[in-house]
Amino acid sequence: MATMQEVATRAGVSIATVSFVVNGTKRVSPATRERVTAAMAELGFRNNVVARALASKRTRIIALLHPALEHRLGSTSMKFFMSAANRASELGYHLVLWPVVTGPDELRDLLSGGLVDGVVVMEVKMEDSRIERLTDLRVPFISIGRTADTTHLPFVDIDFEKTMEDGLDYLTGLGHRRIGLVIEDLEGTSMAGYAPHIRSERTFRESMTRRGLLPHVVTCGPGAAGGRQAAADLLATEPDISAVIVMKDDSAFGLVRGLSTAGRRVPDDVSVLSIASSDEAGAQSEPVLSTMNAPGHELGKLAVEALIEQLDGAAAPDAELPHLLLPCLLHVAGSTAPAPA
Amino acid sequence: MATMQEVATRAGVSIATVSFVVNGTKRVSPATRERVTAAMAELGFRNNVVARALASKRTRIIALLHPALEHRLGSTSMKFFMSAANRASELGYHLVLWPVVTGPDELRDLLSGGLVDGVVVMEVKMEDSRIERLTDLRVPFISIGRTADTTHLPFVDIDFEKTMEDGLDYLTGLGHRRIGLVIEDLEGTSMAGYAPHIRSERTFRESMTRRGLLPHVVTCGPGAAGGRQAAADLLATEPDISAVIVMKDDSAFGLVRGLSTAGRRVPDDVSVLSIASSDEAGAQSEPVLSTMNAPGHELGKLAVEALIEQLDGAAAPDAELPHLLLPCLLHVAGSTAPAPA
């Protein structure tokens, strides 16, 4: 590929002028622009992303950082990702998924050269070194998820606190008093401290206690087998459990089967409510699961819009940081019913 | 960020010398190297990916092109992707997932500037314009999947032909004669012509006919609801069907439920074999599904190794193109049994 210097020499202009043309700014006369574009064509110079990175510091590439090699990219995360990628594409950006574990040095190496215009961070922990690093590097970013301290954090997130309260309102409204929570076991893994689980479990414990009820929490291993084991563990803790909230799509089917194996009919004996889930995931069980559906489509879109507003300089300099929370919405299907008498 | 020119001026060397240092080549004396690295440190020059792209045409970034916005990134694709990303990371490369629909112009724009060193293509159609474009652009690439003509195509792929023959050998060995195939409906979508479906369906039809059996094929819409409908459609075509091959993880559970609703016990009345699947997906049904497991882990790894061999110049110039096929392996669980008498 020809360099900008070669194009500049051929056209008899400065590199800066070539850069203006590559950028599409208006400061170049039509005659000069024509000389530059003719030189670009003759030399095979292409207006590509690396040239743009040099010329303008803009590549229109957004990197979505997801630790997919450490934490399964489940169907809820996928919905965030697809929605973000779609919206970026509509707004003239390319969104790529960067799956590798990104330590501080790797982040700096990737981000300091202007390769990407901005970053979306996913799978955020209560304390997350990636956030500090992005702030230090002054790379425009938005977080899907919240650290413990959100003072300086631009984010969108599921409102896990409200989701859990709404779920408990629904189940206690059906008369349930002995309610369990089944949640992924991340202790000792690199995802320990994952904010959605900590917020959901904390809210469950606090809200149950405030309601004068005992919070039963069991952790759950991967897949259907994990769900079956969680059913056994929960019944060992409280044989008369009448409702379970599960926050783990890939184990919800196994949980229902495990309850059934133990002689509990769903929903006649035990109600099951799957949270941070979706209708499609709920349909992969029998009975079809009542779910609280993650607003992945809305939040993925809003995250990218807020980021691109920053990138395009459309956000007022003194504008407040985006702090946007949406709860999961209840969709009642076949796995929840009034508490047995 | 400082430019290489500024570093060169400060160090009193040529840009080429700075480039040698950035590249880590050995042609620079220790004293000169020290002057250059000191200048880089003083000026805040970073050895980042854009600098490397300019200096050496090497960024150590591999783009995996997946049309995820048009075709669901299912659990089988995810396994290919994760394995490829993991192996790339072990070999010192970054693999990113590029999800957007990539037309010829977008591909050229992204690839011609040296932003990525190489490309992995997924979700290949029998005729796939991306392959021609990558060949024209002379970008090193490998395909996970095969076009109709593979003469000039470096690829790894599931051996769908052998997988289907092996599956039919297994089912006919159990005495089944009335066998159906349930396959995703892509007609009229942008994924029409998707090679795995065309190869599998063609092999099913040819092999059944060769075995003197009638090939019953029904197409299937999304999710559990699609599977339920496919069960009804299949029984309308052949009420005495005794075995079904399904190639659609997200609809296999619905298919089993649909058969059950129609009064067919699995596996006593109808056997179900889920192909291009996994043990984890098979466990999300009751009974646990017998599966033919996609070798996503092996093929993702082998694809990246073959690509990086090309990139690192380790492949002999006259070496044959990688043409690697692995079949899905049978794992018998609870959904298959001898044909009813």
Side-chain angles (χ1 to χ4, degrees):
Chain A
M1 194 189 77
T3 63
M4 272 211 265
Q5 179 62 69
E6 289 168 321
V7 173
T9 305
R10 168 75 64 120
V13 300
S14 69
I15 290 193
T17 303
V18 176
S19 155
F20 294 152
V21 173
V22 167
N23 270 326
T25 53
K26 304 288 179 192
R27 294 185 262 174
V28 180
S29 74
T32 304
R33 170 178 299 276
E34 195 164 306
R35 275 217 311 285
V36 171
T37 51
M40 283 163 65
E42 285 160 30
L43 294 170
F45 179 90
R46 285 171 181 138
N47 176 16
N48 58 55
V49 284
V50 172
R52 283 206 298 277
L54 288 168
S56 69
K57 295 278 175 199
R58 298 296 296 275
T59 60
R60 302 190 82 80
I61 296 175
I62 294 170
L64 185 146
L65 303 183
H66 189 296
L69 303 185
E70 299 179 319
H71 199 215
R72 211 175 55 90
L73 188 56
S75 57
T76 301
S77 289
M78 275 302 297
K79 206 167 274 183
F80 279 100
F81 162 58
M82 306 277 277
S83 169
N86 242 323
R87 189 63 182 139
S89 179
E90 286 169 5
L91 296 174
Y93 283 77
H94 309 288
L95 184 142
V96 301
L97 177 71
W98 209 290
V100 184
V101 186
T102 36
D105 285 350
E106 193 180 356
L107 272 185
R108 189 183 59 196
D109 186 33
L110 292 171
L111 300 175
S112 61
L115 175 68
V116 304
D117 287 355
V119 167
V120 181
V121 194
M122 279 190 77
E123 305 297 75
V124 173
K125 302 180 198 177
M126 294 301 266
E127 308 291 331
D128 202 309
S129 62
R130 297 175 301 169
I131 303 290
E132 292 155 38
R133 179 54 62 166
L134 288 168
T135 307
D136 290 350
L137 289 171
R138 295 165 191 257
V139 175
F141 76 97
I142 191 152
S143 170
I144 296 181
R146 281 168 287 162
T147 46
D149 177 3
T150 59
T151 320
H152 301 294
L153 181 74
F155 72 83
V156 307
D157 198 8
I158 296 175
D159 190 338
F160 291 100
E161 291 82 355
K162 177 162 168 51
T163 299
M164 185 58 76
E165 291 289 359
D166 289 352
L168 286 173
D169 283 350
Y170 169 63
L171 292 173
T172 54
L174 289 170
H176 294 283
R177 310 283 296 163
R178 296 172 207 273
I179 305 173
L181 173 67
V182 171
I183 199 157
E184 189 173 11
D185 189 3
L186 294 172
E187 196 61 37
T189 77
S190 63
M191 289 305 294
Y194 183 46
H197 291 191
I198 289 179
R199 292 179 189 280
S200 298
E201 180 177 342
R202 188 168 61 199
T203 307
F204 177 76
R205 289 185 186 277
E206 289 172 359
S207 180
M208 286 290 282
T209 305
R210 203 172 54 242
R211 293 165 198 256
L213 306 174
L214 270 179
H216 303 287
V217 178
V218 302
T219 56
C220 180
R228 283 180 186 271
Q229 183 60 48
D233 293 347
L234 197 58
L235 292 171
T237 309
E238 172 51 270
D240 293 329
I241 205 102
S242 80
V244 187
I245 294 176
V246 55
M247 183 167 165
K248 195 163 184 312
D249 271 346
D250 69 315
S251 297
F253 171 79
L255 174 71
V256 171
R257 300 313 309 160
L259 290 168
S260 168
T261 302
R264 270 38 165 219
R265 292 163 302 166
V266 174
D268 300 356
D269 300 321
V270 180
S271 287
V272 174
L273 178 63
S274 181
I275 69 168
S277 182
S278 65
D279 285 356
E280 304 88 69
Q284 301 283 354
S285 270
E286 176 130 327
V288 172
L289 298 176
S290 296
T291 51
M292 297 192 72
N293 292 337
H297 179 74
E298 294 79 356
L299 289 179
K301 179 171 172 288
L302 290 166
V304 160
E305 287 173 356
L307 176 63
I308 289 177
E309 198 167 275
Q310 245 188 97
L311 298 181
D312 289 349
D318 59 347
E320 287 187 13
L321 290 175
H323 276 191
L324 184 68
L325 290 174
L326 290 180
C328 299
L329 294 182
L330 178 64
H331 176 228
V332 175
S335 68
T336 47
Chain B
M1 193 189 78
T3 63
M4 273 211 264
Q5 180 60 69
E6 289 168 320
V7 173
T9 304
R10 168 76 63 121
V13 299
S14 69
I15 290 193
T17 304
V18 176
S19 155
F20 294 151
V21 173
V22 167
N23 271 327
T25 53
K26 303 289 178 192
R27 293 185 263 173
V28 180
S29 74
T32 304
R33 169 179 300 276
E34 195 165 307
R35 275 216 313 284
V36 170
T37 51
M40 283 164 64
E42 285 161 31
L43 294 170
F45 180 90
R46 284 168 182 144
N47 175 16
N48 59 55
V49 285
V50 171
R52 285 205 298 276
L54 288 168
S56 69
K57 295 280 176 198
R58 297 296 297 275
T59 60
R60 303 190 81 81
I61 296 175
I62 295 171
L64 185 144
L65 303 182
H66 189 297
L69 303 186
E70 300 179 318
H71 198 216
R72 212 176 56 90
L73 188 57
S75 57
T76 301
S77 288
M78 275 302 297
K79 206 167 275 184
F80 278 99
F81 162 59
M82 305 276 276
S83 169
N86 242 324
R87 189 62 182 139
S89 179
E90 285 169 5
L91 296 173
Y93 283 78
H94 309 288
L95 185 142
V96 300
L97 177 71
W98 209 289
V100 183
V101 186
T102 38
D105 285 349
E106 193 181 354
L107 271 186
R108 189 182 61 196
D109 186 33
L110 292 172
L111 300 176
S112 62
L115 175 69
V116 303
D117 286 356
V119 167
V120 181
V121 193
M122 279 191 77
E123 305 298 74
V124 173
K125 302 180 198 177
M126 294 301 266
E127 308 291 332
D128 202 309
S129 62
R130 297 175 300 168
I131 302 291
E132 292 154 38
R133 179 54 62 165
L134 288 168
T135 307
D136 291 350
L137 289 171
R138 296 165 192 257
V139 176
F141 76 98
I142 192 151
S143 170
I144 296 181
R146 281 168 288 162
T147 47
D149 177 3
T150 59
T151 319
H152 302 294
L153 182 73
F155 73 83
V156 307
D157 197 8
I158 295 174
D159 190 338
F160 292 100
E161 292 83 354
K162 178 162 168 49
T163 299
M164 185 58 77
E165 292 289 0
D166 289 351
L168 287 172
D169 283 350
Y170 169 62
L171 292 173
T172 56
L174 289 169
H176 294 283
R177 310 284 296 163
R178 297 173 206 274
I179 305 173
L181 173 67
V182 171
I183 200 157
E184 190 173 8
D185 189 3
L186 295 172
E187 196 62 36
T189 76
S190 62
M191 289 304 295
Y194 182 46
H197 291 190
I198 289 178
R199 293 180 189 278
S200 298
E201 181 176 344
R202 188 167 61 198
T203 307
F204 177 77
R205 289 185 186 278
E206 289 173 359
S207 179
M208 287 290 282
T209 304
R210 204 171 56 242
R211 293 165 199 256
L213 305 174
L214 271 179
H216 302 288
V217 179
V218 302
T219 56
C220 180
R228 284 179 185 270
Q229 184 60 48
D233 293 347
L234 197 58
L235 292 171
T237 310
E238 173 50 270
D240 294 329
I241 206 102
S242 79
V244 187
I245 294 176
V246 54
M247 183 166 164
K248 194 162 185 312
D249 270 346
D250 69 314
S251 297
F253 171 79
L255 174 70
V256 171
R257 299 313 310 160
L259 290 168
S260 168
T261 303
R264 275 29 168 224
R265 292 164 302 166
V266 174
D268 301 358
D269 301 321
V270 179
S271 287
V272 173
L273 177 64
S274 183
I275 69 168
S277 183
S278 64
D279 285 356
E280 303 88 70
Q284 301 284 354
S285 269
E286 175 130 329
V288 172
L289 297 176
S290 297
T291 51
M292 297 192 72
N293 292 337
H297 178 74
E298 294 79 357
L299 289 178
K301 180 172 171 286
L302 290 166
V304 160
E305 287 173 356
L307 177 62
I308 289 177
E309 197 168 273
Q310 245 188 97
L311 298 181
D312 290 349
D318 59 348
E320 287 187 15
L321 290 174
H323 276 191
L324 184 69
L325 290 174
L326 290 180
C328 298
L329 295 183
L330 178 64
H331 176 227
V332 175
S335 68
T336 47

